[in-house]
Amino acid sequence: LGPLPSEPAIVDLGCSTGCLLEDLAARYPDAALTGIDLVAAGLRKAHANVPQARLMQADVCVLPLEDESVDGAVSANLLEHVPDDERALRELCRVLRPGARGVLVVPAGPSTYDYYDRFLGHERRYARGELAAKARRAGLEVLEDIHLGSVLYPAFWLVKQRNRRRFGGLRGEALQERVAADIANTRDSRLGHVACRVEEALLNSGVRLPFGIRGLTVVRRGEAGR
């Protein structure tokens, strides 16, 4: 989030059960944290996990926050659910103070959109540069626009193409059963940990691969505002 003032106001857009809010509380113990989500059940869990955070049930396209009231914002796995993501980005621009940053994480690769994305309610997976272009149109400066999960992406792409061919027509109960089976078969792997370490080393050395499982875009509201 870059340099922050003392006791910064930080908002998590799409906070769900508060996992990211917990990380923010540990990283910025003096921050005034706010979590926003549409789903009440997630907010109840977030309250149990991060009781010091202010939580709001609201639409990211109509944020219940004052103009220029936020020193930093994060959003992970939210914008892909929002039909009008550019409106959400304009709202982000509105609430950020001049010079404040936002960190946005979204699923990448339109060609890997499959039944699992549909089950999760994803409107899209983002093409390369798509989110950055939308952020600029919303009045935000783009400081960084990179991919994450690049080392694992080839294997991920192959699995997603198989899913699109074999299971693209799944609906209803069959879709729910397939997703439940996928979740049950998900395992932590040593290869995954190694891939993460390799990718971290690449990023630290300045290597930016043009593909990945997720996109990470860092934006900033200009000093002069909009």
Side-chain angles (χ1 to χ4, degrees):
L1 290 175
L4 293 170
S6 60
E7 301 182 356
I10 302 175
V11 62
D12 180 1
L13 303 176
C15 66
S16 186
T17 58
C19 293
L20 190 49
L21 283 172
E22 288 185 88
D23 292 339
L24 290 168
R27 176 67 178 83
Y28 305 104
D30 297 327
L33 299 176
T34 298
I36 294 177
D37 205 286
L38 265 180
V39 182
L43 290 171
R44 286 193 290 269
K45 292 182 180 179
H47 177 66
N49 293 331
V50 197
Q52 70 271 35
R54 179 178 63 161
L55 302 175
M56 298 179 171
Q57 185 176 10
D59 187 339
V60 70
C61 291
V62 190
L63 292 173
L65 301 172
E66 295 181 1
D67 294 356
E68 301 183 9
S69 62
V70 172
D71 297 302
V74 297
S75 176
N77 306 319
L78 168 71
L79 290 174
E80 66 272 18
H81 295 275
V82 181
D84 191 352
D85 54 350
E86 292 199 45
R87 183 178 177 188
L89 290 166
R90 289 194 297 272
E91 275 292 270
L92 173 61
C93 184
R94 178 183 68 79
V95 302
L96 286 175
R97 291 194 173 107
R101 300 184 184 189
V103 179
L104 312 172
V105 177
V106 295
S111 68
T112 63
Y113 188 103
D114 67 357
Y115 67 85
Y116 196 80
D117 293 282
R118 191 172 69 251
F119 178 81
L120 293 176
H122 290 176
E123 295 283 333
R124 67 193 72 79
R125 296 184 72 94
Y126 284 82
R128 184 181 179 188
E130 178 181 354
L131 183 54
K134 290 179 175 180
R136 292 188 183 100
R137 287 199 294 269
L140 295 160
E141 300 174 5
V142 176
L143 302 182
E144 190 158 28
D145 187 40
I146 65 174
H147 284 95
L148 304 175
S150 299
V151 174
L152 290 173
Y153 184 76
F156 176 82
W157 185 89
L158 288 172
V159 169
K160 287 285 200 174
Q161 299 315 303
R162 180 207 64 180
N163 290 349
R164 286 161 64 92
R165 290 193 302 270
R166 294 178 58 185
F167 307 114
L170 287 180
R171 296 291 188 279
E173 187 175 337
L175 175 60
Q176 294 182 37
E177 290 176 355
R178 181 68 203 179
V179 170
D182 288 345
I183 294 172
N185 291 328
T186 299
R187 298 286 185 274
D188 199 8
S189 72
R190 183 177 180 183
L191 177 60
H193 288 293
V194 171
C196 287
R197 289 197 292 271
V198 170
E199 181 160 3
E200 183 178 2
L202 289 173
L203 291 172
N204 288 337
S205 64
V207 176
R208 303 288 188 265
L209 296 177
F211 52 80
I213 296 172
R214 300 202 173 278
L216 171 67
T217 305
V218 181
V219 298
R220 178 175 63 192
R221 180 169 177 175
E223 292 290 345
R226 193 181 178 205

